[in-house]
C-alpha cells in the first residue's frame, strides 16, 4: 500500500495504480475523454492533466503511476489552466452542431466545455471536415466530430477481439476509419456508441428519433440468451426508443451484445398482434377477450372429455417469464396432463429420468474469465453467447488454454490451444477418446459404464492434446453449448462430459440457450424430476388433439419444423399465445395477443441461476395482455384451483418465496446414465445451428439487425471434396432433402467443415420447411 495525497485528502492505495484510480477511490472527478476503466491506457486526449508536486510539467492522471508520498492537485490554477488549454485545442476543429447532434444532452465534450471551454474561439481559420464512413446498419457516423480518443479502436482489439477500426494520418489529418471501407460486423459493435464521448458514433436506428432528456428510463433484463444482461430501456410516448446497458459487473459488466441493444425494433413491428382473433369458416375475425377465452376454455373441456387430458399438449419458448411458464404448467397439470415442455429445440430426451436438477452454468458468470482450462463442446459461441464469449476471451488473454470439440470451426477471435473439428455423429466418439486418455494422464479410473465403450478405441493426437491440457491447471470448466444441447445424442454428450469433468477436476456447465432455460426447470415447465408427461419431441411426433403455444413459433423454434407443422395442422384446436402474427395464421384456431417482456412484469433465471425480476417499461400495445394474466383467467374459467393471483409478484412468490432458486435445484449431474454407443455413423448429417438474429420472435423482427451480414440468408456449406463428389459448383443452387421435406438454397464451399456434413442454418424462413436440425440430409443439383 502506498500513501498519496490528492487535493489535501490522504489515502492509501495498492501499488501499481494510477492517479486516476486514486482519485476515483476518494470521489475526486478528473475530466477525461480517452480513459475508460475497461480499456488500456492511451493517454492521448490529455484532458486529465493534473499538477504533481515536484513534477516539471502537468501529468496525465490516467497514465501516471502513483508513488509513495506523491501529492496531486487536480483543481489548482496550474492544473485547470492545462485542462483549459487542452479543451481549446479539442474545440478548434469541432463543429458547432450540438442542436442537431444525437449525443446532445449526454455528451462528455459538451459537459466539460461548460467548465473548461472559453466563451469564444481564438481560432479563425477554416475548420476541417471529415468524410463519413459506412459502418453498416447499426452505427451512424459524423466523423468531423471525432476527437481521436481511440476508445472505439481499443474496444475492438481488447474486448470484441477483432480490429475492425484504426487510425490513419497525423495531426489534423488524423481519421478513425474501418479497414478497406468494410462495415463493422462484430456482434458487440454497438458498444462503440456508448464509448464514444462525442457524437461521432451514434445509433443508426435511434438517429433523429428523440432527445435524451425526452426519454424516461426503466430497468429491465434481456430475454435473448442465458446471460440475462441488465438493460436500461428508454421510453417516449409509450414506445421503446432505445436500449442501453445497465452496469452490473457480475453479469454483463458495462457491455451489451447487438442482439440485446437493437432488438427493441421488433417490439414495434408491424406484425404485432394487438387484438384476440378466432378463425371461423377459414377466416380470421377479431373478437373481445371474453369471447376468445370462452372459446378456448370450451374447446379444451370438450377435447378433454372426448379424448382425455393426455390429448392436450403445451409448447412454450424459454424466452417467456418464469411466472408465465409456472402458470402454463399449472394449467396443464390442473387439466390432468403433464404434457408441457419449453425445450423445443432439444432432440434427445433419454437422460430426462437421470437428471438430478436443472442444468446450469455450474459457476458464477464472473468466474469465467478466471479459468485456467476450458473445454467447450458443441457451440457457435460468438453467435449464441456474445458476452460469455468475451469473458472466455479475457481468460485466454490471461493465459487460459481453450479447447474445442465442435462440428464447425468458426473464428472465436481467441487463441485455441487444441481443437477437434468433427462431424456431429463423431462427437460422442471424440469425447470418449478424451475421457479414455484423460484417465491415463490423471491416473484415475474410468466409470465402469464407460470402460467397455473405450476398451478398443483409438485416440488421435488432437484428442490426446485436449486431455493433456485438462489434466493440468487449477480452475477448469467443461461447457456444453447450444449445439451440444440440440444434438441427436445429447444425453451421451452430457454423460461423457460429466466423466471428463470428474476425471479432470473441472466444473461441468451448460450455456443456457434462452433467458429461462434454467427457469423452465424451476417453474416445472418440463416433464422431468418426477413430473410425468410427454416432452416436446414426443408431443409433435405423436400429434395431440389440442396444443397451447406460449410465445412459440414452432415453424422456427422447434428441432424438426416440418414435423411440427404437420402435427399442428392435424390438431383439432391450436391456441397460439403470441405477441405477433406469424405462421400460426395457417394452422391455429385462436390467436391471443400477449405482451413482450417490456410490457409486463416478470422474472428470468439466468444460466448461472441468478433470479432477476423486472417491471414493464411501457403499457401493453392495443388489447395485448400479459401472458400470466391470460393464463390466470383461463385457469379460472376452466374451474381449476390455485389461480387467484392479482400480480406477477404474487405468482413469483408462489414459486420462489425467497426470490432465489431453491437449494439443490441446480445440478448438472446425471445419476446412473449409461452411454449407449460411441460408434460413428456414415450418414451425411446436417449442422443446423440457430443464426444469431433468428433466435427468438423479437429479434427476428428487428429490422436493423436483419440488415447485418450475420442475418444473411442461409446457404448450404460443404467442404470441397464433398462438393466435387456431388458434381456441384460452389455458388450454384441445390435441392436439400430431409425425408419428405425440401428446400432450394445456394451452396458454398467451406473447407473447415468435416466430411459428411452439410452446414445449413435452422430457424430461418428459407429453411423452415426442413426436418431435424441435426438429422440426415442429402443434396442434389437444383
Amino acid at each position: 500500500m502506498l500513501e498519496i495525497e490528492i487535493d489535501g485528502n490522504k489515502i492509501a492505495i495498492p501499488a501499481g495504480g494510477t492517479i486516476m484510480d486514486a482519485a476515483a477511490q476518494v470521489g475526486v472527478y478528473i475530466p477525461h475523454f480517452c480513459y475508460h476503466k475497461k480499456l488500456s491506457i492511451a493517454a492521448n486526449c490529455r484532458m486529465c492533466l493534473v499538477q504533481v508536486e515536484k513534477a516539471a510539467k502537468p501529468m496525465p492522471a490516467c497514465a501516471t503511476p502513483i508513488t509513495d508520498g506523491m501529492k496531486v492537485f487536480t483543481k489548482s490554477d496550474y492544473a485547470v489552466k492545462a485542462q483549459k488549454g487542452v479543451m481549446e485545442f479539442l474545440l478548434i476543429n469541432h463543429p458547432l452542431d450540438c442542436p442537431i447532434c444525437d449525443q446532445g444532452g449526454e455528451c462528455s465534450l459538451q459537459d466539460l466545455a461548460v467548465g473548461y471551454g472559453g466563451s469564444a474561439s481564438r481560432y479563425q481559420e477554416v475548420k476541417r471536415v471529415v468524410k463519413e464512413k459506412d459502418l453498416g446498419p447499426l452505427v451512424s457516423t459524423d466523423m468531423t466530430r471525432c476527437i481521436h480518443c481511440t476508445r472505439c479502436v481499443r474496444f475492438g482489439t481488447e474486448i470484441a477481439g477483432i480490429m475492425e477500426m484504426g487510425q490513419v494520418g497525423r495531426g489534423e489529418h488524423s481519421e478513425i476509419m474501418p479497414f478497406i471501407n468494410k462495415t463493422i460486423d462484430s456482434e458487440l459493435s454497438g458498444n462503440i456508441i456508448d464509448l464514444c464521448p462525442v457524437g461521432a458514433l451514434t445509433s443508426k436506428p435511434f438517429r433523429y428519433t428523440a432527445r435524451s432528456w425526452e426519454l424516461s428510463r426503466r430497468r429491465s433484463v434481456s430475454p435473448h440468451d442465458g446471460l440475462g444482461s441488465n438493460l436500461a430501456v428508454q421510453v417516449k410516448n409509450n414506445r421503446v426508443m432505445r436500449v442501453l446497458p445497465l452496469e452490473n459487473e457480475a453479469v454483463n459488466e458495462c457491455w451489451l451484445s447487438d442482439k440485446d441493444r437493437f432488438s427493441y425494433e421488433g417490439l414495434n413491428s408491424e406484425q404485432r398482434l394487438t387484438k384476440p382473433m378466432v378463425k371461423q369458416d377459414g377466416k380470421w375475425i377479431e373478437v373481445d377477450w371474453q369471447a376468445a377465452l370462452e372459446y378456448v376454455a370450451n374447446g379444451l373441456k370438450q377435447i378433454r372429455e372426448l379424448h382425455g387430458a393426455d390429448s392436450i399438449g403445451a409448447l412454450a419458448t424459454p424466452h417467456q417469464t418464469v411466472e408465465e411458464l409456472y402458470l402454463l404448467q399449472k394449467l396443464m397439470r390442473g387439466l390432468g396432463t403433464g404434457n408441457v415442455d419449453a425445450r423445443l429445440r432439444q432432440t434427445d430426451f433419454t437422460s430426462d429420468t437421470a437428471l438430478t436438477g436443472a442444468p446450469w452454468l455450474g459457476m458464477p458468470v464472473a468466474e469465467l474469465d478466471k479459468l485456467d482450462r476450458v473445454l467447450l463442446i458443441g457451440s457457435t459461441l460468438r453467435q449464441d453467447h456474445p458476452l460469455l464469449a468475451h469473458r472466455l476471451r479475457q481468460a485466454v488473454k490471461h493465459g487460459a488454454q481453450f479447447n474445442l470439440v465442435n462440428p464447425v470451426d468458426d473464428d472465436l477471435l481467441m487463441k485455441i490451444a487444441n481443437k477437434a473439428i468433427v462431424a456431429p455423429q463423431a462427437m460422442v466418439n471424440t469425447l470418449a477418446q478424451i475421457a479414455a486418455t484423460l484417465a491415463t494422464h490423471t491416473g484415475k479410473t474410468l466409470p465402469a459404464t464407460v470402460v467397455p465403450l473405450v476398451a478398443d478405441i483409438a485416440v488421435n493426437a488432437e484428442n490426446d492434446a485436449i486431455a493433456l491440457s485438462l489434466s493440468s491447471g487449477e480452475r477448469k470448466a467443461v461447457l456444453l453449448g447450444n449445439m451440444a444441447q440440440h444434438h441427436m445424442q445429447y444425453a451421451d454428450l452430457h454423460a461423457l462430459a460429466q466423466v471428463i469433468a470428474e476425471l479432470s477436476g473441472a466444473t461441468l456447465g451448460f450455456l443456457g440457450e434462452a433467458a429461462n432455460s434454467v427457469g423452465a426447470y424451476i417453474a416445472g415447465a418440463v416433464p422431468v424430476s418426477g413430473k410425468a408427461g410427454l416432452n416436446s419431441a414426443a408431443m409433435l411426433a405423436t400429434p395431440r388433439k389440442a396444443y397451447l403455444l406460449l410465445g412459440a413459433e414452432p415453424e422456427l423454434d422447434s428441432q424438426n419444423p416440418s414435423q411440427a407443422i404437420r402435427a399442428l395442422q392435424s390438431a383439432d384446436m391450436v391456441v397460439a399465445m403470441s405477441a405477433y402474427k406469424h405462421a400460426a395464421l395457417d394452422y391455429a384456431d385462436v390467436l391471443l395477443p400477449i405482451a413482450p417482456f417490456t410490457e409486463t412484469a416478470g422474472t428470468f433465471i439466468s444460466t448461472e441461476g441468478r433470479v432477476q425480476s423486472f417491471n414493464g417499461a411501457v403499457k401493453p400495445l392495443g388489447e395485448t395482455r400479459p401472458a400470466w394474466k391470460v393464463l390466470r383467467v383461463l385457469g379460472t374459467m376452466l374451474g381449476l384451483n390455485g389461480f387467484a393471483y392479482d400480480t406477477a409478484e404474487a405468482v413469483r412468490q408462489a414459486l420462489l418465496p425467497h426470490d432465489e432458486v431453491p437449494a439443490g435445484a441446480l445440478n448438472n449431474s446425471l445419476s446412473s446414465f449409461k452411454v449407449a454407443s460411441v460408434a460413428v455413423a456414415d450418414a451425411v448429417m446436417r449442422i443446423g445451428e440457430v443464426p444469431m438474429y433468428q433466435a427468438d420472435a423479437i429479434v427476428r423482427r428487428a429490422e436493423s439487425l436483419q440488415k447485418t451480414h450475420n442475418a444473411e440468408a442461409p446457404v448450404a456449406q460443404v467442404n470441397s471434396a464433398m462438393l466435387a463428389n456431388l458434381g456441384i459448383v460452389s455458388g450454384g443452387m441445390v435441392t436439400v432433402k430431409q425425408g419428405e421435406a425440401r428446400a432450394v438454397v445456394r451452396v458454398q464451399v467451406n473447407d473447415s467443415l468435416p466430411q459428411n456434413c452439410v452446414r445449413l442454418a435452422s430457424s430461418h424462413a428459407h429453411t423452415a420447411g426442413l426436418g431435424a436440425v441435426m438429422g440426415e440430409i442429402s443434396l442434389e443439383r437444383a
Side-chain angles (χ1 to χ4, degrees), residues 507-528:
T507 298
L508 176 63
F510 291 79
L511 304 179
E513 176 181 11
N516 265 326
S517 293
V518 173
Y521 283 86
I522 304 303
V526 290
V528 299

PDB file of all heavy atoms in Angstrom, residues 507-528:
ATOM      1  N   THR A 507     -15.312 -28.123 -13.453  1.00  0.00           N
ATOM      2  CA  THR A 507     -16.735 -27.852 -13.258  1.00  0.00           C
ATOM      3  C   THR A 507     -17.475 -28.159 -14.546  1.00  0.00           C
ATOM      4  O   THR A 507     -17.052 -27.737 -15.626  1.00  0.00           O
ATOM      5  CB  THR A 507     -16.952 -26.378 -12.873  1.00  0.00           C
ATOM      6  OG1 THR A 507     -16.294 -26.111 -11.641  1.00  0.00           O
ATOM      7  CG2 THR A 507     -18.436 -26.064 -12.730  1.00  0.00           C
ATOM      8  N   LEU A 508     -18.575 -28.894 -14.448  1.00  0.00           N
ATOM      9  CA  LEU A 508     -19.416 -29.168 -15.611  1.00  0.00           C
ATOM     10  C   LEU A 508     -20.487 -28.094 -15.709  1.00  0.00           C
ATOM     11  O   LEU A 508     -21.168 -27.796 -14.722  1.00  0.00           O
ATOM     12  CB  LEU A 508     -20.069 -30.551 -15.487  1.00  0.00           C
ATOM     13  CG  LEU A 508     -21.058 -30.946 -16.599  1.00  0.00           C
ATOM     14  CD1 LEU A 508     -20.353 -31.027 -17.947  1.00  0.00           C
ATOM     15  CD2 LEU A 508     -21.742 -32.271 -16.270  1.00  0.00           C
ATOM     16  N   GLY A 509     -20.611 -27.497 -16.876  1.00  0.00           N
ATOM     17  CA  GLY A 509     -21.575 -26.409 -17.024  1.00  0.00           C
ATOM     18  C   GLY A 509     -22.292 -26.443 -18.368  1.00  0.00           C
ATOM     19  O   GLY A 509     -21.814 -27.036 -19.341  1.00  0.00           O
ATOM     20  N   PHE A 510     -23.451 -25.797 -18.398  1.00  0.00           N
ATOM     21  CA  PHE A 510     -24.247 -25.670 -19.616  1.00  0.00           C
ATOM     22  C   PHE A 510     -24.457 -24.195 -19.917  1.00  0.00           C
ATOM     23  O   PHE A 510     -24.805 -23.419 -19.018  1.00  0.00           O
ATOM     24  CB  PHE A 510     -25.616 -26.350 -19.445  1.00  0.00           C
ATOM     25  CG  PHE A 510     -25.534 -27.853 -19.361  1.00  0.00           C
ATOM     26  CD1 PHE A 510     -25.163 -28.465 -18.178  1.00  0.00           C
ATOM     27  CD2 PHE A 510     -25.806 -28.636 -20.462  1.00  0.00           C
ATOM     28  CE1 PHE A 510     -25.070 -29.839 -18.088  1.00  0.00           C
ATOM     29  CE2 PHE A 510     -25.714 -30.018 -20.388  1.00  0.00           C
ATOM     30  CZ  PHE A 510     -25.348 -30.625 -19.199  1.00  0.00           C
ATOM     31  N   LEU A 511     -24.254 -23.822 -21.169  1.00  0.00           N
ATOM     32  CA  LEU A 511     -24.507 -22.454 -21.593  1.00  0.00           C
ATOM     33  C   LEU A 511     -25.982 -22.363 -21.973  1.00  0.00           C
ATOM     34  O   LEU A 511     -26.392 -22.856 -23.029  1.00  0.00           O
ATOM     35  CB  LEU A 511     -23.615 -22.081 -22.775  1.00  0.00           C
ATOM     36  CG  LEU A 511     -22.103 -22.251 -22.540  1.00  0.00           C
ATOM     37  CD1 LEU A 511     -21.333 -21.866 -23.787  1.00  0.00           C
ATOM     38  CD2 LEU A 511     -21.637 -21.427 -21.353  1.00  0.00           C
ATOM     39  N   GLY A 512     -26.788 -21.777 -21.095  1.00  0.00           N
ATOM     40  CA  GLY A 512     -28.233 -21.732 -21.311  1.00  0.00           C
ATOM     41  C   GLY A 512     -28.596 -21.003 -22.584  1.00  0.00           C
ATOM     42  O   GLY A 512     -28.121 -19.900 -22.847  1.00  0.00           O
ATOM     43  N   GLU A 513     -29.478 -21.610 -23.366  1.00  0.00           N
ATOM     44  CA  GLU A 513     -29.840 -21.057 -24.675  1.00  0.00           C
ATOM     45  C   GLU A 513     -30.637 -19.769 -24.551  1.00  0.00           C
ATOM     46  O   GLU A 513     -30.428 -18.827 -25.309  1.00  0.00           O
ATOM     47  CB  GLU A 513     -30.644 -22.103 -25.446  1.00  0.00           C
ATOM     48  CG  GLU A 513     -31.163 -21.612 -26.788  1.00  0.00           C
ATOM     49  CD  GLU A 513     -31.986 -22.665 -27.514  1.00  0.00           C
ATOM     50  OE1 GLU A 513     -32.325 -23.686 -26.900  1.00  0.00           O
ATOM     51  OE2 GLU A 513     -32.277 -22.453 -28.701  1.00  0.00           O
ATOM     52  N   ALA A 514     -31.581 -19.715 -23.614  1.00  0.00           N
ATOM     53  CA  ALA A 514     -32.519 -18.598 -23.533  1.00  0.00           C
ATOM     54  C   ALA A 514     -32.575 -18.056 -22.110  1.00  0.00           C
ATOM     55  O   ALA A 514     -31.979 -18.608 -21.182  1.00  0.00           O
ATOM     56  CB  ALA A 514     -33.907 -19.034 -23.995  1.00  0.00           C
ATOM     57  N   ALA A 515     -33.331 -16.964 -21.958  1.00  0.00           N
ATOM     58  CA  ALA A 515     -33.409 -16.286 -20.665  1.00  0.00           C
ATOM     59  C   ALA A 515     -33.893 -17.208 -19.561  1.00  0.00           C
ATOM     60  O   ALA A 515     -33.484 -17.077 -18.410  1.00  0.00           O
ATOM     61  CB  ALA A 515     -34.343 -15.076 -20.776  1.00  0.00           C
ATOM     62  N   ASN A 516     -34.764 -18.154 -19.887  1.00  0.00           N
ATOM     63  CA  ASN A 516     -35.295 -19.059 -18.872  1.00  0.00           C
ATOM     64  C   ASN A 516     -35.063 -20.527 -19.209  1.00  0.00           C
ATOM     65  O   ASN A 516     -35.903 -21.383 -18.913  1.00  0.00           O
ATOM     66  CB  ASN A 516     -36.788 -18.797 -18.641  1.00  0.00           C
ATOM     67  CG  ASN A 516     -37.018 -17.860 -17.464  1.00  0.00           C
ATOM     68  OD1 ASN A 516     -36.276 -17.884 -16.481  1.00  0.00           O
ATOM     69  ND2 ASN A 516     -38.035 -17.033 -17.561  1.00  0.00           N
ATOM     70  N   SER A 517     -33.918 -20.832 -19.796  1.00  0.00           N
ATOM     71  CA  SER A 517     -33.563 -22.235 -19.992  1.00  0.00           C
ATOM     72  C   SER A 517     -33.459 -22.933 -18.638  1.00  0.00           C
ATOM     73  O   SER A 517     -33.831 -24.097 -18.499  1.00  0.00           O
ATOM     74  CB  SER A 517     -32.242 -22.350 -20.755  1.00  0.00           C
ATOM     75  OG  SER A 517     -32.389 -21.878 -22.080  1.00  0.00           O
ATOM     76  N   VAL A 518     -32.941 -22.226 -17.653  1.00  0.00           N
ATOM     77  CA  VAL A 518     -32.914 -22.743 -16.285  1.00  0.00           C
ATOM     78  C   VAL A 518     -34.275 -22.545 -15.626  1.00  0.00           C
ATOM     79  O   VAL A 518     -34.793 -23.434 -14.943  1.00  0.00           O
ATOM     80  CB  VAL A 518     -31.811 -22.056 -15.462  1.00  0.00           C
ATOM     81  CG1 VAL A 518     -31.893 -22.453 -13.984  1.00  0.00           C
ATOM     82  CG2 VAL A 518     -30.430 -22.400 -16.012  1.00  0.00           C
ATOM     83  N   GLY A 519     -34.873 -21.390 -15.844  1.00  0.00           N
ATOM     84  CA  GLY A 519     -36.149 -21.063 -15.213  1.00  0.00           C
ATOM     85  C   GLY A 519     -37.265 -22.019 -15.571  1.00  0.00           C
ATOM     86  O   GLY A 519     -38.161 -22.277 -14.759  1.00  0.00           O
ATOM     87  N   ALA A 520     -37.237 -22.579 -16.786  1.00  0.00           N
ATOM     88  CA  ALA A 520     -38.276 -23.526 -17.189  1.00  0.00           C
ATOM     89  C   ALA A 520     -38.267 -24.762 -16.299  1.00  0.00           C
ATOM     90  O   ALA A 520     -39.318 -25.301 -15.946  1.00  0.00           O
ATOM     91  CB  ALA A 520     -38.082 -23.919 -18.650  1.00  0.00           C
ATOM     92  N   TYR A 521     -37.072 -25.214 -15.916  1.00  0.00           N
ATOM     93  CA  TYR A 521     -36.970 -26.348 -14.998  1.00  0.00           C
ATOM     94  C   TYR A 521     -37.500 -25.969 -13.619  1.00  0.00           C
ATOM     95  O   TYR A 521     -38.250 -26.731 -12.992  1.00  0.00           O
ATOM     96  CB  TYR A 521     -35.514 -26.803 -14.873  1.00  0.00           C
ATOM     97  CG  TYR A 521     -35.008 -27.619 -16.032  1.00  0.00           C
ATOM     98  CD1 TYR A 521     -34.492 -27.006 -17.169  1.00  0.00           C
ATOM     99  CD2 TYR A 521     -35.028 -29.009 -15.991  1.00  0.00           C
ATOM    100  CE1 TYR A 521     -34.011 -27.754 -18.240  1.00  0.00           C
ATOM    101  CE2 TYR A 521     -34.545 -29.770 -17.060  1.00  0.00           C
ATOM    102  CZ  TYR A 521     -34.048 -29.135 -18.172  1.00  0.00           C
ATOM    103  OH  TYR A 521     -33.579 -29.871 -19.222  1.00  0.00           O
ATOM    104  N   ILE A 522     -37.101 -24.795 -13.142  1.00  0.00           N
ATOM    105  CA  ILE A 522     -37.524 -24.361 -11.806  1.00  0.00           C
ATOM    106  C   ILE A 522     -39.042 -24.182 -11.763  1.00  0.00           C
ATOM    107  O   ILE A 522     -39.696 -24.518 -10.768  1.00  0.00           O
ATOM    108  CB  ILE A 522     -36.826 -23.043 -11.430  1.00  0.00           C
ATOM    109  CG1 ILE A 522     -35.298 -23.189 -11.531  1.00  0.00           C
ATOM    110  CG2 ILE A 522     -37.226 -22.599 -10.028  1.00  0.00           C
ATOM    111  CD1 ILE A 522     -34.711 -24.295 -10.687  1.00  0.00           C
ATOM    112  N   ALA A 523     -39.624 -23.692 -12.856  1.00  0.00           N
ATOM    113  CA  ALA A 523     -41.069 -23.471 -12.902  1.00  0.00           C
ATOM    114  C   ALA A 523     -41.857 -24.756 -13.121  1.00  0.00           C
ATOM    115  O   ALA A 523     -43.085 -24.763 -13.005  1.00  0.00           O
ATOM    116  CB  ALA A 523     -41.396 -22.482 -14.025  1.00  0.00           C
ATOM    117  N   GLY A 524     -41.164 -25.852 -13.441  1.00  0.00           N
ATOM    118  CA  GLY A 524     -41.855 -27.117 -13.686  1.00  0.00           C
ATOM    119  C   GLY A 524     -42.408 -27.239 -15.085  1.00  0.00           C
ATOM    120  O   GLY A 524     -43.245 -28.104 -15.347  1.00  0.00           O
ATOM    121  N   ALA A 525     -41.952 -26.381 -16.010  1.00  0.00           N
ATOM    122  CA  ALA A 525     -42.474 -26.408 -17.379  1.00  0.00           C
ATOM    123  C   ALA A 525     -41.705 -27.378 -18.262  1.00  0.00           C
ATOM    124  O   ALA A 525     -41.572 -27.169 -19.473  1.00  0.00           O
ATOM    125  CB  ALA A 525     -42.423 -24.999 -17.972  1.00  0.00           C
ATOM    126  N   VAL A 526     -41.200 -28.451 -17.668  1.00  0.00           N
ATOM    127  CA  VAL A 526     -40.561 -29.555 -18.384  1.00  0.00           C
ATOM    128  C   VAL A 526     -40.998 -30.845 -17.711  1.00  0.00           C
ATOM    129  O   VAL A 526     -41.153 -30.886 -16.493  1.00  0.00           O
ATOM    130  CB  VAL A 526     -39.016 -29.437 -18.376  1.00  0.00           C
ATOM    131  CG1 VAL A 526     -38.544 -28.286 -19.235  1.00  0.00           C
ATOM    132  CG2 VAL A 526     -38.493 -29.267 -16.957  1.00  0.00           C
ATOM    133  N   PRO A 527     -41.198 -31.913 -18.473  1.00  0.00           N
ATOM    134  CA  PRO A 527     -41.674 -33.167 -17.875  1.00  0.00           C
ATOM    135  C   PRO A 527     -40.533 -34.002 -17.293  1.00  0.00           C
ATOM    136  O   PRO A 527     -40.277 -35.123 -17.735  1.00  0.00           O
ATOM    137  CB  PRO A 527     -42.348 -33.872 -19.058  1.00  0.00           C
ATOM    138  CG  PRO A 527     -41.576 -33.387 -20.244  1.00  0.00           C
ATOM    139  CD  PRO A 527     -41.156 -31.978 -19.941  1.00  0.00           C
ATOM    140  N   VAL A 528     -39.824 -33.463 -16.301  1.00  0.00           N
ATOM    141  CA  VAL A 528     -38.739 -34.194 -15.634  1.00  0.00           C
ATOM    142  C   VAL A 528     -38.927 -34.082 -14.133  1.00  0.00           C
ATOM    143  O   VAL A 528     -39.888 -33.483 -13.651  1.00  0.00           O
ATOM    144  CB  VAL A 528     -37.357 -33.642 -16.050  1.00  0.00           C
ATOM    145  CG1 VAL A 528     -37.129 -33.797 -17.547  1.00  0.00           C
ATOM    146  CG2 VAL A 528     -37.202 -32.176 -15.657  1.00  0.00           C
TER     147      VAL A 528
END
